[in-house]
Amino acid sequence: MFKTLTRIGLAALLMGGMATSAFAQDNKSVKIGWAAWSDAEFVTKLTAKLIQDKLGQKVELVQTDVAPLYQGVSRGDLDVMMMAWLPQTHADYYKRVVSKVDTLGTIYDGAKLGWVVPQYIPESEISSIDDLKKDDVKQKLGGTVQGIDPGAGLTRLSEQANKDYGLDYKLQISSEAGMLTTVDRDMRSEKWFVATAWSPHWMFGKYKLRYIDDPKGALGKAEHVDILARKGFKQENPKVAELLSRMKLPVPELEAAMFDAQETSYDKAVDKYIADHPERVKAWLGE
């Protein structure tokens, strides 16, 4: 449905040194960047569908890692990104570009980062990160925390949590898909594990998981997820900018839609969400 650039494609685009003015003159295609997190994929494809079908503008989706997303928007190589996790998760990336981007709005509140364990592990054994220091618990967990992408804010915070709690665990750097493969395999055999996680995420609809307490607050508190745009985008494309500024999804609705996407496809889940929430979509469109 949408043209998608790979990580390599974006790197080539950035290295090409295209000036911001080139994008300012081309309103035929809205370039939206996203990283491969499930919530980002759903809201990005939902937005792309509305821009294309309701506003009649072409959309180009650019998939890459988090750091190039911020760089791309700040340099004008991308128009928009839908997944700025603030104030803590993406703090390092955001502070480098804050003067070079515009915030169009918050697409959802109450986002959360943390570590999860399966509910079949008794809370008497693991209720907080502190419990991971128990010798028998560490042995059952293999001294490993299942992680995600190396560039993710959650990875940075998890590395710090490992130090703050004196755990001496190995943070298994992988990807969202890799982490979920491990979770799925271990859940089937009721093996003990601890994994990095965040809400909203469809896995809480599929698996019986629970966050463990973080008494030191190493993994942060509630986050909000903002939409960032390159400088000048609001003035050059006010219709899309206004749509984005109005978009806001309740987290339970988003998680349900993400679960639908896993059961069917993201395109079908987007279509279903639009059909099931006509008044919300009208409000976003200013109708």
Side-chain angles (χ1 to χ4, degrees):
M1 182 182 295
F2 309 109
K3 180 180 178 183
T4 302
L5 295 181
T6 64
R7 184 180 310 169
I8 295 173
L10 178 60
L13 180 64
L14 296 175
M15 290 175 66
M18 290 185 169
T20 302
S21 59
F23 292 90
Q25 295 167 4
D26 181 13
N27 285 326
K28 295 181 180 179
S29 180
V30 178
K31 296 178 176 64
I32 307 177
W34 64 288
W37 286 25
S38 298
D39 55 318
E41 183 165 5
F42 180 80
V43 297
T44 298
K45 291 184 175 179
L46 171 62
T47 302
K49 177 76 171 176
L50 294 175
I51 292 172
Q52 181 172 275
D53 290 1
K54 303 298 184 180
L55 301 183
Q57 297 188 36
K58 295 180 181 178
V59 176
E60 187 172 324
L61 300 186
V62 181
Q63 183 182 346
T64 185
D65 290 332
V66 174
L69 278 182
Y70 281 89
Q71 183 185 21
V73 176
S74 68
R75 290 178 52 169
D77 296 323
L78 298 171
D79 293 315
V80 174
M81 61 178 285
M82 311 283 297
M83 53 174 297
W85 280 61
L86 299 168
Q88 188 168 356
T89 308
H90 289 171
D92 287 350
Y93 300 119
Y94 183 69
K95 69 183 179 183
R96 296 172 192 157
V97 305
V98 62
S99 64
K100 302 175 184 178
V101 301
D102 288 326
T103 300
L104 299 183
T106 295
I107 192 160
Y108 46 93
D109 290 305
K112 175 182 174 65
L113 300 179
W115 290 359
V116 296
V117 297
Q119 289 187 12
Y120 54 72
I121 296 179
E123 288 194 50
S124 59
E125 295 292 327
I126 303 178
S127 64
S128 83
I129 297 178
D130 273 323
D131 290 327
L132 303 186
K133 290 186 284 190
K134 299 175 183 176
D135 290 338
D136 58 334
V137 168
K138 184 175 182 180
Q139 183 177 4
K140 289 180 180 179
L141 294 172
T144 300
V145 177
Q146 300 299 326
I148 55 169
D149 315 69
L154 177 54
T155 299
R156 174 179 57 83
L157 294 172
S158 293
E159 289 171 340
Q160 188 60 49
N162 201 11
K163 295 176 183 177
D164 290 349
Y165 285 92
L167 296 180
D168 191 30
Y169 271 57
K170 177 184 178 182
L171 179 63
Q172 184 64 53
I173 304 298
S174 178
S175 64
E176 179 188 9
M179 177 271 290
L180 291 168
T181 296
T182 298
V183 168
D184 186 74
R185 183 191 64 227
D186 290 351
M187 291 289 294
R188 291 174 186 274
S189 60
E190 294 198 359
K191 181 180 177 181
W192 283 34
F193 68 85
V194 58
T196 60
W198 62 94
S199 300
H201 199 290
W202 58 264
M203 65 180 175
F204 292 99
K206 183 173 183 178
Y207 306 113
K208 293 182 178 180
L209 303 166
R210 71 170 188 275
Y211 283 103
I212 57 177
D213 292 339
D214 173 17
K216 295 182 185 294
L219 297 170
K221 299 180 180 179
E223 300 266 284
H224 52 86
V225 179
D226 291 353
I227 302 170
L228 303 184
R230 62 173 174 82
K231 286 290 186 182
F233 181 74
K234 290 191 295 185
Q235 293 74 28
E236 295 160 24
N237 201 330
K239 287 186 178 180
V240 171
E242 288 169 9
L243 165 65
L244 295 174
S245 70
R246 297 187 190 104
M247 288 186 70
K248 193 159 189 175
L249 282 77
V251 166
E253 283 184 13
L254 176 55
E255 287 191 324
M258 291 160 64
F259 185 66
D260 285 342
Q262 295 302 310
E263 297 295 299
T264 56
S265 71
Y266 280 93
D267 288 342
K268 289 181 179 179
V270 164
D271 289 341
K272 184 177 186 299
Y273 185 89
I274 292 171
D276 289 349
H277 301 87
E279 295 306 315
R280 192 185 304 285
V281 171
K282 285 182 181 179
W284 291 345
L285 294 166
E287 296 178 351

